Amino acid sequence: MPVGFGDDSGLDDGVITEPPKGGFVFRQVTFAPDSEWDKSLGYSDSKGQLRGTVPAEEADGVDGFHYTDSVDIVTILSGELVSVMETGETVLKAGDTIIMRGVNHAWCNRTDKPVVLQSLMISAAQ
């Protein structure tokens, strides 16, 4: 930080899931209801399974547990999403914001409607 405006966009490599060292990623994401996808496959992007994925057998049976080397500011725009962490769950509704600091977590959409959120992921890599 700060990232120069003349720097490479990084888009030549496809989807940027995690922020580059010293950088950030801002995105808007739609989560389908849990009933519409197999969370046991974990989270992935066009490059494959995300780094930081925790196998369910190491996460008390929770599918989709993962962590990132970033500080993430997540705001729910519409719908209801459950943030699952090692210490419990938090229900997030439209307008709610949560800050994740590199903790193991998973997302659950236990409703029958999609959830739309925006996130700002800021690299915590030294």
Side-chain angles (χ1 to χ4, degrees):
M1 296 289 204
V3 177
F5 61 83
D7 291 350
D8 179 26
S9 69
L11 296 177
D12 297 335
D13 294 331
V15 174
I16 302 170
T17 302
E18 290 191 52
K21 184 176 178 180
F24 65 91
V25 173
F26 177 79
R27 70 171 46 88
Q28 183 167 311
V29 178
T30 300
F31 276 82
D34 289 353
S35 61
E36 295 182 13
W37 67 292
D38 184 356
K39 287 178 44 175
S40 69
L41 300 175
Y43 295 97
S44 62
D45 62 15
S46 62
K47 297 176 185 178
Q49 191 159 40
L50 300 184
R51 184 180 68 78
T53 297
V54 179
E57 58 271 9
E58 295 176 21
D60 292 329
V62 177
D63 288 321
F65 243 50
H66 64 287
Y67 65 90
T68 56
D69 193 14
S70 58
V71 174
D72 306 343
I73 303 168
V74 178
T75 300
I76 307 301
L77 300 180
S78 66
E80 180 178 296
L81 194 66
V82 178
S83 172
V84 181
M85 292 175 267
E86 294 172 327
T87 57
E89 299 183 355
T90 301
V91 177
L92 303 167
K93 297 181 181 188
D96 290 344
T97 297
I98 189 169
I99 299 173
M100 310 292 284
R101 295 180 181 99
V103 298
N104 285 340
H105 66 283
W107 302 108
C108 294
N109 178 357
R110 297 176 180 153
T111 72
D112 60 354
K113 295 184 172 75
V115 175
V116 179
L117 63 83
Q118 288 184 334
S119 68
L120 175 62
M121 298 175 70
I122 305 164
S123 173
Q126 298 287 330

